[in-house]
Amino acid sequence: MKHTTSSLRVFILLTGLLLGPPSWAACNYAPIPNPHPDGIGKSYCDRHISKVMGWQGAPWLERPQRLQEERTDLLIQKLNLKPGMVVGDIGAGTGHISTMMTERIAPDGVVWAVDIQPQMIKMLQKKAESLPKGRLQIRQSSEKNLNLPDRILDVAIMVDVYHELEYPRETLQSLMKAVKRGGKIVFVEYRAFDPDVPIKALHTMSVAQVQKEAEDLGLKYEKAESLSWQNMITFINP
């Protein structure tokens, strides 16, 4: 009996090495019977997905004190953007971050600003009109598809967006197709478990949770850096 058990363990170990982790180990969706009022009643990878901040919250994205509170200037600096790069701003909202990035990739670079809300798309189009033609490209996404060309982005960033995605797995898969192999995908999320971050709990994420969900799809962790309210977590697209 002891010999049989040992043999079984060896078989399981070898099978895991050859076939990789079992399918049940992957991040999956599950309903939440008694959802939090800030959530959508569905979890992903044991994380309660939060409700989306609607277009009515646009003034929050454009508030004058955002630079000081969130240090968006430091965020742009840490992205290390270069002239000529093609960059994606996923869940771009009003285009606050998109506009800042256009300055770094000028004169020949392009920022693709993506959002799912038609009202936000109109705001993005208005901002694009004030920039050199072609500098800011606008795309409206669906719930699962970003509608971006394949392998076009050098860098993609999601600023306080990923935790709100109704289908994070499919959306991230779509993003991985749009980013060049070896390109970077950057998650910027309000820091969880930090009493100094004045954000609702479901709108925050820990580095460990982001890493768990990103690595589940094959992204390679590079680094995590702290901003004033957020963590900036960078992955390499394989």
Side-chain angles (χ1 to χ4, degrees), residues 95-190:
H96 179 79
I97 299 296
S98 297
T99 304
M100 295 178 72
M101 293 195 297
T102 60
E103 299 173 2
R104 294 298 183 104
I105 50 86
D108 301 320
V110 176
V111 173
W112 287 81
V114 181
D115 207 275
I116 194 170
Q117 300 181 71
Q119 297 86 349
M120 292 295 198
I121 293 295
K122 290 180 180 179
M123 296 179 197
L124 288 168
Q125 289 170 338
K126 186 174 181 179
K127 284 199 172 179
E129 291 172 0
S130 65
L131 296 168
K133 186 175 181 180
R135 183 71 52 78
L136 185 61
Q137 297 285 343
I138 314 300
R139 279 292 168 94
Q140 184 170 357
S141 68
S142 66
E143 293 175 336
K144 298 181 180 180
N145 193 333
L146 296 176
N147 296 319
L148 286 171
D150 289 348
R151 306 301 177 201
I152 193 172
L153 303 176
D154 296 300
V155 179
I157 186 170
M158 293 179 284
V159 180
D160 309 322
V161 168
Y162 180 76
H163 66 272
E164 295 184 351
L165 298 177
E166 184 176 357
Y167 294 94
R169 187 175 190 84
E170 292 81 357
T171 303
L172 190 51
Q173 286 173 327
S174 177
L175 180 56
M176 291 171 69
K177 290 180 181 179
V179 175
K180 297 174 183 177
R181 298 192 186 282
K184 296 186 178 184
I185 296 178
V186 182
F187 297 71
V188 179
E189 289 288 339
Y190 289 116

